[in-house]
């Protein structure tokens, strides 16, 4: 009677079992394992002759029969449990004769985390801040889109809030996401990266635009207008309020909830209040 | 809450996938999305563009329509007509800010230029006296879109560029890059803003505006959004 893989029925005993735990992963990560049955009594290395993926566990696998590489799909975030199996033999065995193919089994495990939500309770702020004149462009934080070669001259009344991001299990985001870019509105860079502590820094407040000027004038020389502006007196904070509802992504993963109902108020001369339910 | 849920699901089925509700009450739910982002995704999906005119609140920097949270399923969007129907058929945006709650009705229509452009307006604007974007103007202009706003503002003091901005809502955008050429005679300012913008590769929401809330001769702050950023 033939059983698993067309081999003679022999119950559920595997000749060799192996397991590996990939630990904590993130979408897009790559993993690899190799099945390595032990040397035989003569000291000869095993030759893995067959291998199949019985249970991919959500990953995309290529390779075999002994060496396998997997990719975590971008939309996969869950526990991973995979299973592989196959056959092996030793040199001098196999082919015609009374040899039985040896069987192996590999179990793989891991957990794939993804950024899922902004942690609550949210940070609040109520106090005076030092107004500052800044020259912003697409590389700064806050960032400005004012055309290549230009800078936005603006007077800012802001604070940098430390925002904690949770994973899909409600835990603070793992350090493997350290360095992941934070974006808003579906992928627009804000020039902030995730820290190893699962946080990012978010500039929040209001500003008064003074103008847009070339960064260099003449070409190759910093525009002297910028220095004059930076050294000039900062106007009083505007008496303005905004309710911020902002889509936020970390490493391309949308947070839900992200920034919702964060009310930001500035009032002269330099008060900033952030109420975030 | 269960009754509201059923109502929402019914609307979802009837209206092609768009239900707009409070930006505060349902903040944590899965389909909540900022309306601006919804329009961007619909624009990407259907290759169309939007302009949005809102009634603002004195002292606030928000565009209450664009900044509202909506309960939507972009995947359910099939065609532009169903989107326009869903926006126009008495589905309110509810904007809550401090002591104010407004259910905003929309007037929606479409013009076909290089691509379809859907014009979304707060219905209250139809009864505003001396609303600047309704005013007609003749203008010849060549330069940046930000410069166009300056030019319009110099001719109509109710037109304003955004000078005070919120920090933390994505990059601060001042469109000094996109070149516009206008030769308009007796055109509504709204049409000048739309027709002068080269929309290829431009943001799906081309421009938006919000008033200072006055019912007569309100000032109107206008913002262009620049080239698409992704």
């Amino acid at each position: 009677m033939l059983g698993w893989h067309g081999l003679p029925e022999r119950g559920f005993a595997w000749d060799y079992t192996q397991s590996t735990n990939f630990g904590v992963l993130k979408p897009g990560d790559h993993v690899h394992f190799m099945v390595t049955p032990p040397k035989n009594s003569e000291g000869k290395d095993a030759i893995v002759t067959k291998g199949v993926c019985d249970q991919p566990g959500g990953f995309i696998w290529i390779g075999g029969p002994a060496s396998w590489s997997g990719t975590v799909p971008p939309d996969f975030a869950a526990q991973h449990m995979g299973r592989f199996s196959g056959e092996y033999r030793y040199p001098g065995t196999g082919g015609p004769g009374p040899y039985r193919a040896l069987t192996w089994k590999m179990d793989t495990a891991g957990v794939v985390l993804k950024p899922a939500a902004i942690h609550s309770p949210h940070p609040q702020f109520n106090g005076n801040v030092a107004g500052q004149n800044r020259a912003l462009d697409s590389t700064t934080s806050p960032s400005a889109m004012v055309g290549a070669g230009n800078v936005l001259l603006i007077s800012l009344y802001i604070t940098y809030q430390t925002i904690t991001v949770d994973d899909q299990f409600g835990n603070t985001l793992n350090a493997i996401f350290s360095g992941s870019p934070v974006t808003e509105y579906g992928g627009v860079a804000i020039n902030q990266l995730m820290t190893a502590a699962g946080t990012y820094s978010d500039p929040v407040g209001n500003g008064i635009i003074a103008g847009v000027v070339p960064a260099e004038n003449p070409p190759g020389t910093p525009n002297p207008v910028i220095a004059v502006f930076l050294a000039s007196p900062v106007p009083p904070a505007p008496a303005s309020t905004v309710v911020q509802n902002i889509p936020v992504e970390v490493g391309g993963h949308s947070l839900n909830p992200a920034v919702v109902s964060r009310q930001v108020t500035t009032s002269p001369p330099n008060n900033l209040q952030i109420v975030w339910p | 809450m269960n009754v509201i849920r059923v109502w929402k699901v019914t609307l979802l089925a009837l209206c092609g996938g768009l239900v707009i509700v409070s930006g505060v009450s349902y903040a944590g739910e899965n389909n909540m999305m900022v309306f601006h982002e919804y329009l961007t995704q619909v624009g990407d999906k259907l290759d169309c563009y939007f302009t949005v005119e809102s009634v603002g609140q004195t002292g606030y920097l928000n565009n209450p329509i664009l900044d509202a949270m909506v309960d939507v399923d972009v995947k359910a969007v099939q065609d532009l007509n169903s989107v326009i129907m869903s926006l126009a058929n008495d589905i309110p945006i509810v904007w809550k800010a401090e002591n104010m709650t407004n259910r905003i009705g929309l007037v929606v229509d479409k013009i076909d230029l290089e691509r379809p452009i859907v014009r979304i307006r707060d219905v209250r604007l139809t009864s505003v006296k001396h609303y600047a974007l309704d005013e007609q103007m003749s203008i010849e202009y060549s330069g940046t879109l930000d410069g166009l706003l300056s030019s319009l503002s110099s001719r109509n003091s109710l037109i304003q560029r955004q000078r005070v901005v919120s920090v933390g809502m994505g990059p601060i955008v001042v469109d000094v890059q996109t070149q516009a050429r206008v030769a308009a005679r007796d055109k509504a300012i709204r049409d000048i803003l739309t027709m002068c913008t080269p929309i290829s590769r431009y943001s799906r929401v081309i421009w938006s505006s919000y008033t200072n809330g006055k019912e007569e001769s309100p000032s109107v702050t206008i913002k262009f959004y620049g080239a698409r950023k992704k």
Side-chain angles (χ1 to χ4, degrees):
Chain A
M1 173 178 281
L2 297 179
W4 179 87
H5 280 225
L7 301 174
E9 181 59 68
R10 49 185 297 275
F12 293 99
W14 300 89
D15 295 297
Y16 173 69
T17 61
Q18 187 176 330
S19 65
T20 187
N21 190 328
F22 300 121
V24 177
L25 301 167
K26 58 183 185 298
D29 276 356
H30 301 286
V31 294
H32 177 79
F33 72 83
M34 180 170 285
V35 180
T36 53
K39 297 176 186 293
N40 66 5
S41 58
E42 299 171 3
K44 293 183 177 177
D45 288 326
I47 302 168
V48 176
T49 56
K50 289 184 179 176
V52 295
C53 176
D54 303 311
Q55 179 180 311
F59 291 5
I60 300 166
W61 295 96
I62 58 171
S67 177
W68 293 84
S69 295
T71 300
V72 185
D75 57 351
F76 182 85
Q79 293 281 344
H80 161 76
M81 294 182 68
R83 189 182 209 188
F84 300 76
S85 59
E87 298 174 2
Y88 66 99
R89 65 178 178 82
Y90 293 97
T93 65
Y99 303 106
R100 177 181 65 80
L102 301 168
T103 60
W104 62 266
K105 181 186 72 145
M106 164 67 88
D107 291 311
T108 60
V111 58
V112 181
L113 302 177
K114 72 169 184 178
I118 286 181
H119 179 79
S120 181
H122 304 117
Q124 315 288 322
F125 186 90
N126 187 5
N128 294 331
V129 294
Q132 48 187 306
N133 290 336
R134 296 271 304 272
L136 306 180
D137 61 21
S138 61
T139 68
T140 57
S141 177
S143 66
M145 309 293 281
V146 289
N150 294 326
V151 295
L152 174 71
L153 304 181
I154 186 169
S155 301
L156 295 175
Y157 285 88
I158 63 172
T159 186
Y160 286 81
Q161 289 196 306
T162 299
I163 311 293
T164 302
V165 177
D166 289 343
D167 64 26
Q168 75 268 37
F169 301 116
N171 300 315
T172 300
L173 197 62
N174 190 280
I176 59 171
F177 288 92
S178 176
S180 293
V182 181
T183 56
E184 294 179 346
Y185 291 96
V188 181
I190 63 168
N191 303 320
Q192 292 288 346
L193 303 177
M194 288 300 300
T195 69
T199 64
Y200 72 94
S201 187
D202 194 16
V204 185
N206 291 326
I208 304 169
I209 292 175
V212 177
V213 299
E216 298 178 348
N217 189 21
T221 304
N223 190 338
V225 171
I226 299 172
V228 170
F229 172 73
L230 297 179
S232 64
V234 182
S240 299
T241 297
V242 66
V243 178
Q244 296 185 331
N245 296 322
I246 310 169
V248 181
E249 308 84 36
V250 171
H253 299 274
S254 295
L255 306 185
N256 190 352
V259 175
V260 178
S261 301
R262 182 170 65 184
Q263 181 162 305
V264 180
T265 301
T266 52
S267 51
N270 61 346
N271 185 259
L272 171 63
Q273 184 178 37
I274 301 171
V275 178
W276 192 356
Chain B
M1 179 65 81
N2 287 338
V3 173
I4 293 171
R5 270 301 197 190
V6 171
W7 178 79
K8 287 162 63 181
V9 170
T10 304
L11 280 179
L12 189 71
L14 290 174
C15 302
L18 173 65
V19 177
I20 305 173
V21 295
S22 167
V24 176
S25 302
Y26 306 117
E29 297 188 2
N30 281 337
N31 282 339
M32 297 307 295
M33 175 183 279
V34 179
F35 190 58
H36 191 161
E37 179 65 5
Y38 169 75
L39 294 182
T40 298
Q41 292 192 19
V42 170
D44 287 342
K45 186 170 184 175
L46 303 178
D47 195 11
C48 61
Y49 294 81
F50 300 89
T51 63
V52 179
E53 299 172 43
S54 289
V55 173
Q57 184 181 9
T58 302
Y60 277 74
L61 303 175
N62 287 105
N63 183 312
I65 297 175
L66 272 186
D67 294 341
M69 298 290 287
V70 294
D71 191 352
V72 291
D73 181 6
V74 178
K75 292 176 184 172
V77 170
Q78 296 295 326
D79 61 82
L80 190 54
N81 285 336
S82 67
V83 171
I84 293 171
M85 289 274 289
S86 70
L87 290 168
N89 283 344
D90 298 325
I91 301 174
I93 289 180
V94 179
W95 175 252
K96 291 186 178 181
E98 206 167 27
N99 57 351
M100 177 196 75
T101 299
N102 276 333
R103 294 169 66 89
I104 303 172
L106 304 178
V107 175
V108 186
D109 62 11
K110 182 185 72 164
I111 57 175
D112 288 301
L113 297 177
E114 184 182 340
R115 299 296 309 160
I117 298 174
V118 178
R119 305 190 300 183
I120 300 171
R121 276 174 278 178
D122 187 318
V123 68
R124 291 172 293 176
L125 291 171
T126 59
S127 59
V128 168
K129 294 180 179 177
H130 306 299
Y131 175 47
L133 298 193
D134 286 336
E135 303 286 326
Q136 294 196 332
M137 183 181 284
S138 296
I139 181 173
E140 288 191 14
Y141 172 83
S142 180
T144 69
L145 287 176
D146 188 58
L148 173 64
L149 290 182
S150 280
S151 180
L152 294 174
S153 181
S154 68
R155 292 158 176 254
N156 184 332
S157 61
L158 297 177
I159 299 290
Q160 296 184 353
R161 290 188 297 168
Q162 200 173 34
R163 182 168 175 269
V164 178
V165 295
S166 171
V167 176
M169 300 177 73
I172 301 164
V173 178
V174 179
D175 193 349
V176 294
Q177 200 163 33
T178 304
Q179 297 294 312
R181 184 183 296 272
V182 186
R185 177 172 295 275
D186 296 331
K187 289 281 188 186
I189 291 177
R190 129 177 350 98
D191 294 332
I192 293 172
L193 294 171
T194 301
M195 293 175 180
C196 74
T197 308
I199 59 176
S200 177
R201 298 302 305 163
Y202 206 77
S203 292
R204 293 298 181 180
V205 176
I206 302 170
W207 59 265
S208 72
S209 66
Y210 60 91
T211 70
N212 62 359
K214 292 183 178 177
E215 295 179 355
E216 184 170 350
S217 302
S219 64
V220 183
T221 302
I222 299 171
K223 177 179 180 179
F224 282 100
Y225 288 90
R228 253 175 267 168
K229 301 167 192 69
K230 52 177 180 170

